Amino acid sequence: MTMSPKLPRRSVCAAALALVVVGSAWGQAWPTRPITLVVPFAAGGPTDIVARALSVPMGKALGQTVIIENKVGAGGTVAATLVSRANPDGYTFLIHHNGMATAPALYRKLAYNPLTDFEYVSQVIDVPMTLVARKDLPAKTLPELLSYLKAHGDKVNLAHAGLGAVSHLCGMVFRQAVGVDLTTVPYSGTGPAMAALLGGQVDLLCDQTTQTVPQIKAGAVRFYGVTTAQRIKALPDAPTLAEQGLKGFEVMVWHGIYAPKGTPREALDKMNSALRTALKDPTVTTRMAELGAEQVPESKLTADGLRSWLKQEIERWGPVIRSAGVYAD
Ligand code: MLT
């Protein structure tokens, strides 16, 4: 028989009471003030569009405002570093995409480990990409673009949102598929990159449908195809790049919500539940469907679903990036 160490009865009661008080403060009161959701790219771009669309119904479900803070730089790694070091008090979260999985191979001196320095809330939504160009680029179709690049590739530039951005990743896959070494021009997000494309300062951009669908529908950009395996509902007549001969060209953007390591479980669980509520909100479902975003299955809307997907993606992209020899010191 094991014996408990003998404690004076009064101190046992005091300790039990303290536990109950701490537990109920977390269980019932969180959140007592606004929550910050950090977006790693510029305001007005695709990640920001998803974050802001969700922030209102999430705030409603939580009874507190969800404030979006754009912390840009180094393809999303500035924001991820800040969040990995933030106070794990349940008031700071990060929304990030594939960049969370590609950064370990791209950055030799990454200040965080995506698999050990965070808590995981859930995957969020998937977003296809599109290849677009400035409206007055002479090439009107993908075959014309490929010929144009063969003849003028050294003068054509491709905008992106930094090493670790999906626009960079997609551009890298495209350059490999067509065998042309384009000049790349980095921006703090594809919001400013799209502004530069519309202003004719850059030639090409591989960007998410959440930003490109309105520009494509308005005829403000040239459009060559979608990066997914299948055609998408938001642009039903648009061919995929793969069906036009760019074999194996498949890029889909996935998102996750993270928190600093040590964030209390109650905050993570309530954020997860608020996210699920927001994803069913008609304002979100309608807008996201119009912009080509796709809901993810229930099994991915969990902390474990996000962490195991992140691990798979790190294992998928690490060798591809290392063999391409692309990295930052
Ligand atoms: C953005 O929000 O600007 C994009 O997600 C950047 C990118 O990864 O291409």
Side-chain angles (χ1 to χ4, degrees):
M1 190 197 227
T2 47
M3 299 285 290
S4 309
K6 282 215 172 359
L7 286 177
R9 201 179 156 74
R10 273 217 346 240
S11 51
V12 172
C13 291
L17 187 65
L19 279 177
V20 169
V21 169
V22 169
S24 69
W26 263 102
Q28 288 158 26
W30 185 92
T32 57
R33 57 188 167 86
I35 294 154
T36 299
L37 182 59
V38 176
V39 169
F41 297 99
T47 316
D48 189 73
I49 288 169
V50 169
R52 284 178 202 272
L54 292 169
S55 66
V56 177
M58 281 182 78
K60 219 184 279 173
L62 291 164
Q64 284 289 342
T65 309
V66 175
I67 299 167
I68 302 298
E69 262 189 34
N70 301 81
K71 299 277 186 199
V72 307
T77 60
V78 166
T81 302
L82 283 172
V83 173
S84 73
R85 293 174 181 168
N87 185 357
D89 59 0
Y91 290 91
T92 305
F93 291 85
L94 169 73
I95 180 165
H96 203 346
H97 57 33
N98 312 44
M100 199 70 168
T102 54
L106 289 169
Y107 287 83
R108 287 185 169 173
K109 291 179 191 149
L110 198 63
Y112 56 87
N113 181 333
L115 291 173
T116 54
D117 292 341
F118 294 90
E119 303 290 348
Y120 307 88
V121 173
S122 175
Q123 281 197 51
V124 180
I125 206 157
D126 287 348
V127 183
M129 298 191 83
T130 51
L131 182 66
V132 295
R134 65 180 159 84
K135 200 181 163 187
D136 53 357
L137 195 81
K140 293 195 179 82
T141 60
L142 186 68
E144 285 180 22
L145 178 65
L146 300 186
S147 310
Y148 185 80
L149 293 179
K150 290 234 155 62
H152 308 282
D154 54 339
K155 295 191 191 65
V156 178
N157 58 40
L158 172 91
H160 65 82
L163 219 58
V166 284
S167 46
H168 180 272
L169 183 73
C170 181
M172 198 174 82
V173 177
F174 178 68
R175 281 154 71 202
Q176 275 179 348
V178 300
V180 179
D181 197 15
L182 307 167
T183 305
T184 58
V185 186
Y187 289 85
S188 60
T190 55
M194 176 58 84
L197 193 81
L198 295 172
Q201 290 121 36
V202 289
D203 301 314
L204 281 174
L205 175 65
C206 196
D207 197 14
Q208 295 161 69
T209 57
T210 34
Q211 172 157 262
T212 59
V213 163
Q215 305 297 353
I216 291 168
K217 287 192 169 163
V221 291
R222 289 228 189 280
F223 169 44
Y224 304 108
V226 294
T227 64
T228 40
Q230 311 294 332
R231 292 185 177 208
I232 62 169
K233 282 196 200 124
L235 297 166
D237 301 328
T240 67
L241 294 173
E243 78 182 69
Q244 296 180 82
L246 293 186
K247 293 283 168 239
F249 195 113
E250 272 179 42
V251 184
M252 176 66 105
V253 183
W254 53 272
H255 299 79
I257 294 183
Y258 305 83
K261 188 85 189 166
T263 298
R265 170 68 30 212
E266 290 86 341
L268 301 171
D269 289 348
K270 284 187 175 174
M271 276 296 275
N272 180 293
S273 157
L275 173 69
R276 285 166 179 258
T277 303
L279 286 169
K280 290 191 196 117
D281 188 292
T283 58
V284 172
T285 51
T286 308
R287 182 152 154 74
M288 288 296 116
E290 279 166 6
L291 296 179
E294 292 171 16
Q295 300 272 349
V296 298
E298 279 281 315
S299 59
K300 291 192 171 187
L301 295 178
T302 62
D304 285 349
L306 172 58
R307 194 178 184 283
S308 61
W309 180 253
L310 174 67
K311 191 162 177 293
Q312 273 180 52
E313 285 283 284
I314 291 173
E315 284 159 10
R316 173 186 174 197
W317 287 107
V320 177
I321 292 166
R322 278 188 283 273
S323 78
V326 185
Y327 59 85
D329 281 320

